[in-house]
Amino acid sequence: MTNLHESLQGILTKKELELLPRRFKRIGHVAIINLPDELLNRSQEIALKIMELTGAKTVALSEGGITGKFRVPRLRVIAGNPNTEVIHVENGCRFKMDVAKVMFSPGNVHERKRIADLVSPGEVVVDLFAGVGQFSIPIAVHAKPRRVHSIEMNQIAFGYLQENVRINKVGHIVRPIMGDCSAVAPKGVADRVIMGILHVTHRYLPLAMEVLKPEGGVIHYHETVPSPLRFKRPVERIFQAAGGREVEIINRRVVKRYSPGVDHVVVDAKIGGMK
Ligand SMILES: C[S@@+](CC[C@H](N)C(=O)[O-])C[C@H]1O[C@@H](n2cnc3c(N)ncnc32)[C@H](O)[C@@H]1O
C-alpha cells in the first residue's frame, strides 16, 4: 500500500498519512477499507485514489466488522458504483455474492486452496457452514470428491451458494442443503468435515463427530483463540468431543491474525473409528 500513501502525499497531512491503514480488502470490483474516525472527513479523497490506483469500481467503508450468527458485514459505499454484488475470481473459481450482505474473507485464500489440495478422489465431504461456497466450490472444482454436502442456514448466502454451484458447473458434486446444520447435517457419511465458522465452532464438535463415517475421518476445526492459547484450547476441545475415539492432530496453522492478540487458527484432526 506504499502507493496509496505516496499518492496521497500533499493531499493528506503527515499525521493523516500516519493514520492511513496499510491495507484494504478487495473482493471483485469492491475495495473495502477500514478508516479511523480521524480520517472519515477525508474518505472521499482516499476512496477516489484507491479507485484510480487499483481499478476498483466501488469503495466501501467497513463499519464495525462482521456481526451476528449469520456473519453479516457492515459496509457503507462511499464512492463509485453503488452495486455491491460482485463476481470474485480466486484459484480458478468464481464466487458471486453481495459483499454488503454476506461474509467473504480474502485473508483465507490460502486456507481455501490448502483444503482443496487435501481432498482425495472419491471422498465425501460435509461443509457444515458453507457460506457462499468458500470451501465447497474449490474442493469440487479442483479435487475429485464423490459428493460435497454444503449446509448453510442464511437464505441470502444459500442463494449465492446455489448460484456459485451453477456458475462453476459443479452441480453433479455439490449438494446445497438449506438449514441449521444441527438439524439437517447428514450423519455417518463424511470422510472429511469442514467447520469454517468462528466463535462458536466448539459447540458443533459433537455434531462433526457424528457426521463422520463410523470408521472415522478428518475434521478441519477453525477457532478464534487468544494467541497464548493458540493451539492448546482447540486441541483440548477436539480431544474432549472425540470422547475416547482416537485423535491424531495432523496439522495446525494460524490462518490469520483476527484482532490484536487473537488468532484465527485451524486444526486438522484425524478421528478414529467409533468404539
Ligand atoms: C463466517 S461464515 C464462513 C463461511 C465459510 N465457511 C468460510 O469459512 O469462509 C459462516 C457461515 O455459517 C453460517 N451458519 C452459522 N451457523 C450455522 C448453522 N448452525 N448451520 C448452518 N449454517 C450456519 C452463516 O450463515 C455463515 O454464512
Side-chain angles (χ1 to χ4, degrees):
M1 279 316 306
T2 326
N3 280 348
L4 183 61
H5 276 78
E6 275 171 11
S7 58
L8 283 165
Q9 275 173 18
I11 299 174
L12 300 188
T13 65
K14 197 161 170 269
K15 181 140 186 286
E16 287 170 338
L17 282 170
E18 276 167 19
L19 293 168
L20 190 65
R22 294 264 142 208
R23 294 173 180 192
F24 55 83
K25 291 183 194 168
R26 178 73 185 267
I27 312 177
H29 67 265
V30 181
I32 301 169
I33 188 155
N34 229 313
L35 288 181
D37 289 350
E38 297 89 327
L39 284 183
L40 290 180
N41 61 342
R42 310 307 299 268
S43 60
Q44 282 305 305
E45 290 103 316
I46 297 169
L48 293 177
K49 201 48 95 179
I50 290 176
M51 292 200 290
E52 188 186 310
L53 287 174
T54 66
K57 303 252 179 303
T58 303
V59 178
L61 207 56
S62 170
E63 294 187 313
I66 294 169
T67 54
K69 71 176 175 185
F70 288 160
R71 313 302 299 146
V72 179
R74 287 173 57 201
L75 295 185
R76 179 162 60 89
V77 172
I78 53 168
N81 182 346
N83 179 16
T84 48
E85 186 174 79
V86 304
I87 301 253
H88 178 72
V89 181
E90 179 188 286
N91 286 332
C93 302
R94 286 161 24 108
F95 296 99
K96 185 171 176 181
M97 70 200 118
D98 187 332
V99 294
K101 295 189 179 149
V102 298
M103 169 271 172
F104 188 93
S105 177
N108 296 357
V109 54
H110 298 296
E111 182 61 17
R112 290 189 277 271
K113 167 123 186 27
R114 186 183 79 89
I115 295 297
D117 289 345
L118 289 175
V119 174
S120 301
E123 279 191 12
V124 174
V125 179
V126 175
D127 187 357
L128 287 177
F129 310 94
V132 300
Q134 284 93 328
F135 288 109
S136 297
I137 298 291
I139 289 171
V141 167
H142 294 296
K144 292 194 167 32
R146 184 154 66 80
R147 176 68 76 204
V148 180
H149 301 276
S150 307
I151 306 167
E152 174 53 54
M153 72 174 185
N154 172 354
Q155 187 71 62
I156 296 174
F158 186 76
Y160 284 117
L161 170 65
Q162 289 178 306
E163 180 81 2
N164 291 330
V165 169
R166 193 182 63 74
I167 63 179
N168 288 281
K169 302 186 172 56
V170 289
H172 55 301
I173 298 173
V174 181
R175 176 177 165 239
I177 306 171
M178 169 76 202
D180 184 331
C181 60
S182 308
V184 300
K187 308 254 172 84
V189 299
D191 298 292
R192 190 178 298 276
V193 177
I194 300 170
M195 305 186 74
I197 194 172
L198 298 175
H199 309 296
V200 293
T201 330
H202 58 286
R203 296 187 200 151
Y204 296 90
L205 270 168
L207 171 68
M209 300 294 163
E210 288 184 68
V211 167
L212 286 173
K213 286 180 173 164
E215 59 268 38
V218 174
I219 62 171
H220 301 285
Y221 175 78
H222 291 250
E223 187 171 309
T224 38
V225 63
S227 306
L229 299 178
R230 194 174 273 171
F231 297 114
K232 188 172 177 287
R233 189 175 78 183
V235 167
E236 279 172 6
R237 284 174 161 169
I238 293 168
F239 270 89
Q240 196 182 358
R245 286 167 82 167
E246 268 179 37
V247 177
E248 183 192 347
I249 304 300
I250 49 182
N251 202 351
R252 43 193 217 164
R253 63 183 290 266
V254 176
V255 177
K256 60 181 185 294
R257 170 65 43 89
Y258 182 77
S259 60
V262 179
D263 296 331
H264 168 184
V265 303
V266 61
V267 176
D268 301 347
K270 192 168 184 188
I271 309 297
M274 280 183 168
K275 301 234 158 163

